[in-house]
Amino acid sequence: MARPDKAAAVAELADQFRSSNAAVLTEYRGLTVAQLKTLRRSLGENAQYAVVKNTLTKIAANEAGITSLDDHFSGPTAVAFITGDPVESAKGLRDFAKENPNLIIKGGVLDGKALSADEIKKLADLESREVLLAKLAGAMKGKQTQAAQLFQALPSKFVRTAEALRVKLSEQGGAE
């Protein structure tokens, strides 16, 4: 009777691994239910935090093609499945772990690439996608302004050069 339940749980977890941009494994030993609720809220709208069984999750990850997490399935494990901006959720995990040392970030995966706990913390140090896009747009606008000034300078420089040449030729013509 437990067999179909476990198969369904594995299938659901495998689907979550496949549909997520990123997944972060954590150890939550010593956290209260209220703290876990706070953690779920701090991850943002695009992340789902689930306490999982190691064996079933390992099987599900392998079915989804993720074998790099196999070493992290020990002790009480929970997974943050991230479907949106991974930086926002990584910041939520990092900040919560600072306030609650019982939360240990084990590792994760981002777009199929394995991440260590340190790499997840570096990801959390990045600015959000929106901020990076705004900076890129500002830089591009600055480059466009520079290009416009350059293109505007070329004709005016040509006109000044032509006028200087005309004055010089008229002076030479007047001297003869």
Side-chain angles (χ1 to χ4, degrees):
M1 184 151 175
R3 200 95 176 128
D5 293 345
K6 289 182 180 180
V10 167
E12 183 180 340
L13 286 169
D15 286 342
Q16 285 182 312
F17 274 112
R18 284 187 203 103
S19 65
S20 299
N21 297 341
V24 179
L25 272 64
T26 63
E27 182 175 320
Y28 64 92
R29 183 178 313 190
L31 293 177
T32 65
V33 173
Q35 289 172 322
L36 287 174
K37 189 174 181 180
T38 303
L39 172 60
R40 285 185 175 101
R41 272 192 249 118
S42 71
L43 292 178
E45 298 174 5
N46 300 322
Q48 180 184 3
Y49 190 74
V51 174
V52 295
K53 292 193 176 287
N54 288 330
T55 307
L56 299 180
T57 308
K58 184 176 179 179
I59 292 168
N62 288 333
E63 280 185 15
I66 301 169
T67 58
S68 57
L69 298 176
D70 288 353
D71 297 338
H72 299 296
F73 292 110
S74 61
T77 303
V79 182
F81 293 104
I82 304 164
T83 55
D85 185 12
V87 173
E88 177 186 352
S89 298
K91 284 181 183 190
L93 283 168
R94 180 201 58 197
D95 295 344
F96 187 86
K98 282 181 184 177
E99 296 173 13
N100 301 283
N102 288 336
L103 181 75
I104 299 168
I105 298 172
K106 295 181 178 183
V109 63
L110 174 65
D111 293 329
K113 180 188 175 292
L115 297 175
S116 68
D118 289 335
E119 289 173 322
I120 292 169
K121 289 175 185 168
K122 286 180 185 175
L123 181 65
D125 291 338
L126 289 176
E127 293 173 335
S128 71
R129 182 176 188 270
E130 290 77 21
V131 171
L132 292 174
L133 287 173
K135 285 185 175 183
L136 177 65
M140 290 175 73
K141 183 178 178 186
K143 293 298 178 188
Q144 288 175 342
T145 303
Q146 288 176 346
Q149 290 171 348
L150 175 68
F151 292 137
Q152 190 177 26
L154 289 175
S156 64
K157 187 173 183 179
F158 174 74
V159 169
R160 286 192 306 271
T161 304
E163 180 62 22
L165 182 62
R166 187 190 64 74
V167 168
K168 184 175 182 180
L169 287 176
S170 68
E171 288 175 359
Q172 286 177 353
E176 292 176 19

